[in-house]
Amino acid sequence: MSKLRHVIRAEQLVDPALLDELFNSASKLERDDKALKLEHPLRGRILATMFYEPSTRTRFSFEAAMQKLGGGVLTAENALDNSSASKGETIADTVRVVSGYADAIVLRHPQVGAAEMAAEASPVPIINAGDGAGEHPTQALIDVYTIRKELGRLEGLNIALVGDLKNGRTIHSLLPFLRNAPGVSLTLISPPQLRLPGKYVRMLQEADTRFAETTRLARVQPADVVYVTRVQRERFASEAEYDAVKDSYRIDLHVADSLKARSIILHALPRTTEISPEVDQDARAAYFRQARNGLYVRMALLNYLMS
Ligand code: NCD
């Protein structure tokens, strides 16, 4: 496979050899970091992070990753108000200019397809860190890495996806990985209004992936992985529509206790009410470990794209 230039869609990352390379590199970087033996392969290089939507862990983990690899960071937080976008500049123009200062650009934007547009205009790698309700491929990479690290494999697992399957971009990016893994079966749990969009359902059908759609949270019980999402308030047309579904599901101690002993609960975070804080003490609650893995997976990805 030829080397990737931009990372826009999860589909670009599903190649098994590429995944092995990135995941082996992430584990090695974690070991080296813990032993205080990190090298600085990206010394002198610069990463720009341009966030037109709120973020904590995605932006910080990319910036920490770049700095741990010896590189520097230029950052535009709240870029809708604080960059030339507020003067009416197009993404294409902004990216053309920023690529003169930075060796790669991480972009988060409310519009589906924004990263694709940026990539067309950019001479340096563009990494999609979320394009509206579209995709979030690096989060999916972290999710797959976490599942493999926690449970040893992806193959044959029963995976429940819970919550806002319509707007959750982390779900949309996770599906190409799950669809490709032999023997995976999926339980798609959402309120009727937040069902997985037809485009993704067809993708699963075409791959002959086993899946069932339901509204019942009790169906998480046999799952090896319970992947919970936040209801994506910012994608709703009105507050009333959001209110109607926002409290559809809650993983509390009672639900957590019903899960298999060797299962894990994942969440890309931030959470609102969908996982009770008491569940955090349960060894199966893997979401903070998942967030931590983000640092090493993003280091591996930056190193791959930029060195
Ligand atoms: C996710 C996102 O931005 O899509 N967060 C993240 O990157 N960790 C999930 C979310 O906001 O609900």
Side-chain angles (χ1 to χ4, degrees), residues 57-58 108 136 139 169-170 230 232 268-270:
R57 72 221 88 235
T58 304
R108 171 171 288 186
H136 191 354
Q139 179 63 49
R169 56 195 174 195
T170 67
R230 176 178 68 89
Q232 307 278 300
L269 302 176

Side-chain angles (χ1 to χ4, degrees), residues 123-275:
V124 304
I126 297 286
I127 302 172
N128 181 7
D131 61 327
E135 285 219 35
H136 191 354
T138 66
Q139 179 63 49
L141 209 52
I142 293 159
D143 302 340
V144 175
Y145 179 78
T146 303
I147 295 171
R148 281 171 51 159
K149 190 171 171 187
E150 298 270 335
L151 299 176
R153 66 188 202 286
L154 199 55
E155 295 70 28
L157 295 181
N158 179 338
I159 300 178
L161 305 175
V162 181
D164 190 348
L165 309 186
K166 178 181 177 200
N167 302 302
R169 56 195 174 195
T170 67
I171 296 285
H172 304 163
S173 286
L174 191 53
L175 289 172
F177 291 99
L178 304 184
R179 172 191 70 165
N180 278 6
V184 159
S185 68
L186 303 178
T187 310
L188 309 175
I189 305 175
S190 74
Q193 301 94 311
L194 302 180
R195 280 174 63 183
L196 189 67
K199 156 178 164 189
Y200 297 101
V201 172
R202 282 191 293 281
M203 192 179 94
L204 296 177
Q205 286 164 338
E206 277 159 25
D208 280 330
T209 309
R210 263 197 296 159
F211 71 95
E213 290 188 273
T214 175
T215 55
R216 293 179 47 233
L217 184 60
R219 295 280 300 274
V220 293
Q221 211 210 315
D224 302 292
V225 177
V226 179
Y227 190 106
V228 187
T229 64
R230 176 178 68 89
V231 176
Q232 307 278 300
R233 180 183 204 153
E234 61 277 35
R235 311 285 173 228
F236 284 76
S238 72
E239 202 64 11
E241 285 168 69
Y242 170 69
D243 286 343
V245 288
K246 68 174 191 219
D247 297 319
S248 300
Y249 305 117
R250 185 169 172 85
I251 308 285
D252 55 15
L253 279 181
H254 176 71
V255 178
D257 283 343
S258 76
L259 299 175
K260 295 203 291 202
R262 204 168 139 61
S263 62
I264 53 170
I265 304 168
L266 298 181
H267 191 307
L269 302 176
R271 72 175 143 186
T272 51
T273 55
E274 59 280 1
I275 302 179

